Amino acid sequence: MIFAQHGPAWKPKLERLFSNQLIDGVIWDPREETVERIKEIRSQDSSYSTVENIVDLKVYYRQFPSSIPKRLSELDYFPEHAIDRAFLRNTENIEVLVDKSISFQIDFDVDVIVAPSLYLYSFNDRLVDKLFDTWEFFYEQVEKSGFKGSKFVSVIFSESALENKSYITDFLNDFSDIANNFDGIYITVDRENNNKHRHDFNPTRLNGMLQLIYDLKNLGLRVLIGYSGIESILYFTVGADAIGTGWFYSLRNFNKEQKGLEPADSMGRQKKRYTSTKMLFELAIEDDIFSIPDYLKEELYGKILTECQLDAKVKEGNIEAINLNEIYQQYFESLKQVIDIIKDIDDIEGKVRYTEQLLDTAEENIKQYNESEVLSRINGKHIQSYRTALNQFKEDNFIFV
């Protein structure tokens, strides 16, 4: 399942995704848009009621003194004061936060109600106990409310937290005591902002992520990973049920600077990119595709294009004829093609086998692209990172394919 991660300029993009049946839900961001406008649009378009609606409460913005809450500050559930040790020591603060967040979501008419989350730097963070307290009280209050939809817990953590498997194991052991109270979990990973490779993921950390998803699934939970990109193919391989992703790169990769938790540099001009699941890479159309000489087009287009609506315009070779909304749609199309195949495979061995075939194909296609000698090289280091993480996952879980 693919959920659209709500972001700026959302209405025409969601309409396009709905009309092409490319998403299964929307993860709303009340920081980016007024609740009144969201409600108005939803009331006028029945498409929103055909998919699951979830709200990302984002209360963790109050953990960062220099954060930019935007519209969150206008909402009743959002704490007026910083979420620090003094705030969390007062049980009443947590109870008020939970009660108001439940009321907000029920009024928003969600299909999945989500517990407030806290930002963790580590799974051994001193805030973990308070997070569990929040989740337990959330369960009790949702039960009293009579809400009939799904109940999810929610957590956001630093990517570096994935390196310590011992801490993650302890976290899961403690969580297992209350996990059966919930239907699922919504996870956000704060990715580092110093990686210049668009799709790379440190293999040790990615392996930690794969193991976390696998273990949460074994607790009987639906697992939804927000702000994901191409690496989400591996998440589905190990059992994730859904991802949140979006049209802008900042909706496919969460980091503190982009999301206003800490000061950030301004972003550069957006390039028009084609998402190739045959390379597991997003190629800049003007730089990486239109630069292909005529005598190589038939060969290399076959190793790039994924039979999406946009392909005809790409073959025409006019960058001005391609608008950004078509680019965003192609990303969802290409990703959905692969995810649907993985979801239809019943056993973990089959999912792993298929994903390994994807990695082999991507590696070979990038290699042949780079061997042309007339084109700028595509950095394929992410393929090896994915392979290393998946191989370690197989070894750790005695999966033989």
Side-chain angles (χ1 to χ4, degrees):
M1 298 175 70
I2 300 179
F3 284 66
Q5 198 90 48
H6 171 213
W10 57 277
K11 184 175 180 290
K13 296 171 180 60
L14 288 182
E15 288 173 352
R16 180 181 283 266
L17 297 175
F18 283 134
S19 65
N20 288 279
Q21 298 182 310
L22 294 174
I23 57 173
D24 306 282
V26 180
I27 303 172
W28 295 101
D29 183 353
R31 179 175 177 265
E32 292 290 346
E33 182 61 272
T34 65
V35 174
E36 291 72 25
R37 175 163 166 74
I38 294 172
K39 286 182 176 181
E40 178 186 359
I41 299 301
R42 287 175 64 191
S43 69
Q44 297 171 354
D45 188 341
S46 61
S47 297
Y48 292 95
S49 62
T50 65
V51 300
E52 289 188 286
N53 287 267
I54 301 176
V55 174
D56 188 342
L57 297 169
K58 297 181 180 284
V59 297
Y60 51 82
Y61 272 76
R62 281 297 188 217
Q63 291 179 250
F64 294 83
S66 59
S67 69
I68 305 171
K70 291 187 177 178
R71 300 181 187 277
L72 293 174
S73 299
E74 304 166 9
L75 302 174
D76 183 54
Y77 75 83
F78 193 69
E80 294 182 13
H81 306 291
I83 297 180
D84 52 19
R85 274 183 270 179
F87 178 96
L88 294 170
R89 275 198 298 265
N90 188 333
T91 304
E92 184 179 352
N93 287 336
I94 295 176
E95 292 176 350
V96 169
L97 171 61
V98 168
D99 283 339
K100 287 187 175 182
S101 69
I102 291 172
S103 297
F104 171 79
Q105 291 178 84
I106 291 175
D107 179 68
F108 196 93
D109 194 21
V110 296
D111 302 284
V112 176
I113 195 165
V114 180
S117 58
L118 296 176
Y119 185 101
L120 305 180
Y121 286 96
S122 160
F123 285 97
N124 192 39
D125 197 308
R126 67 179 68 190
L127 297 182
V128 168
D129 288 340
K130 293 299 181 182
L131 185 62
F132 287 153
D133 289 344
T134 302
W135 292 353
E136 289 191 71
F137 186 71
F138 169 77
Y139 167 73
E140 294 170 2
Q141 297 307 103
V142 172
E143 289 294 288
K144 290 179 182 178
S145 75
F147 179 77
K148 301 301 182 185
S150 298
K151 297 185 293 292
F152 275 42
V153 293
S154 176
V155 64
I156 176 171
F157 52 81
S158 169
E159 178 186 339
S160 62
L162 293 165
E163 293 183 3
N164 195 311
K165 289 190 174 183
S166 176
Y167 289 165
I168 297 175
T169 298
D170 291 343
F171 176 90
L172 290 171
N173 285 339
D174 291 338
F175 179 42
S176 65
D177 293 335
I178 60 171
N180 62 356
N181 290 335
F182 306 101
D183 301 293
I185 182 169
Y186 171 55
I187 296 172
T188 302
V189 183
D190 176 19
R191 301 293 304 280
E192 292 184 348
N193 200 30
N194 59 4
N195 190 346
K196 302 304 180 185
H197 189 302
R198 192 173 178 89
H199 304 294
D200 198 28
F201 201 139
N202 175 290
T204 299
R205 295 175 178 183
L206 179 56
N207 173 250
M209 187 66 178
L210 300 183
Q211 190 64 52
L212 175 62
I213 293 168
Y214 187 67
D215 291 339
L216 287 166
K217 281 299 296 179
N218 286 334
L219 289 177
L221 296 166
R222 287 176 64 194
V223 181
L224 166 58
I225 315 296
Y227 295 96
S228 299
I230 284 179
E231 77 285 350
S232 64
I233 288 170
L234 277 78
Y235 299 165
F236 284 101
T237 301
V238 301
D241 296 274
I243 59 159
T245 191
W247 35 95
F248 301 141
Y249 184 56
S250 61
L251 300 175
R252 307 173 193 176
N253 183 348
F254 185 107
N255 68 63
K256 289 194 290 288
E257 292 82 3
Q258 287 179 346
K259 292 303 173 188
L261 294 175
E262 293 181 349
D265 295 330
S266 60
M267 304 280 289
R269 186 176 71 88
Q270 187 177 11
K271 288 187 176 182
K272 295 176 181 178
R273 299 178 185 271
Y274 186 98
T275 301
S276 174
T277 48
K278 292 182 178 180
M279 287 186 173
L280 299 181
F281 194 78
E282 295 171 51
L283 292 88
I285 294 177
E286 197 163 21
D287 301 337
D288 300 328
I289 298 181
F290 287 176
S291 61
I292 297 173
D294 289 341
Y295 71 92
L296 286 175
K297 280 184 178 178
E298 183 176 358
E299 175 189 355
L300 293 184
Y301 278 16
K303 300 180 184 304
I304 295 170
L305 305 183
T306 58
E307 300 181 8
C308 294
Q309 288 186 31
L310 185 63
D311 290 7
K313 285 192 174 182
V314 170
K315 291 175 182 177
E316 288 174 3
N318 181 4
I319 193 69
E320 300 302 325
I322 299 172
N323 66 55
L324 287 171
N325 281 343
E326 291 174 311
I327 294 290
Y328 307 142
Q329 176 182 322
Q330 189 276 325
Y331 165 76
F332 279 85
E333 277 186 82
S334 191
L335 198 58
K336 180 175 169 57
Q337 291 170 0
V338 171
I339 289 170
D340 283 351
I341 293 172
I342 295 174
K343 294 291 287 182
D344 284 342
I345 300 172
D346 292 330
D347 58 285
I348 184 73
E349 291 81 7
K351 292 177 190 289
V352 169
R353 190 178 301 112
Y354 173 74
T355 302
E356 289 181 328
Q357 291 170 356
L358 282 178
L359 294 173
D360 290 342
T361 299
E363 189 170 50
E364 182 61 26
N365 287 342
I366 290 174
K367 177 183 176 183
Q368 292 188 33
Y369 182 97
N370 289 339
E371 286 177 348
S372 68
E373 296 184 356
V374 295
L375 299 166
S376 299
R377 293 180 63 83
I378 288 176
N379 188 340
K381 63 175 289 192
H382 62 296
I383 304 298
Q384 188 54 50
S385 296
Y386 295 174
R387 195 188 303 280
T388 300
L390 189 58
N391 284 340
Q392 187 62 55
F393 172 81
K394 287 162 51 183
E395 181 179 330
D396 291 344
N397 295 281
F398 306 100
I399 295 171
F400 305 101
V401 295

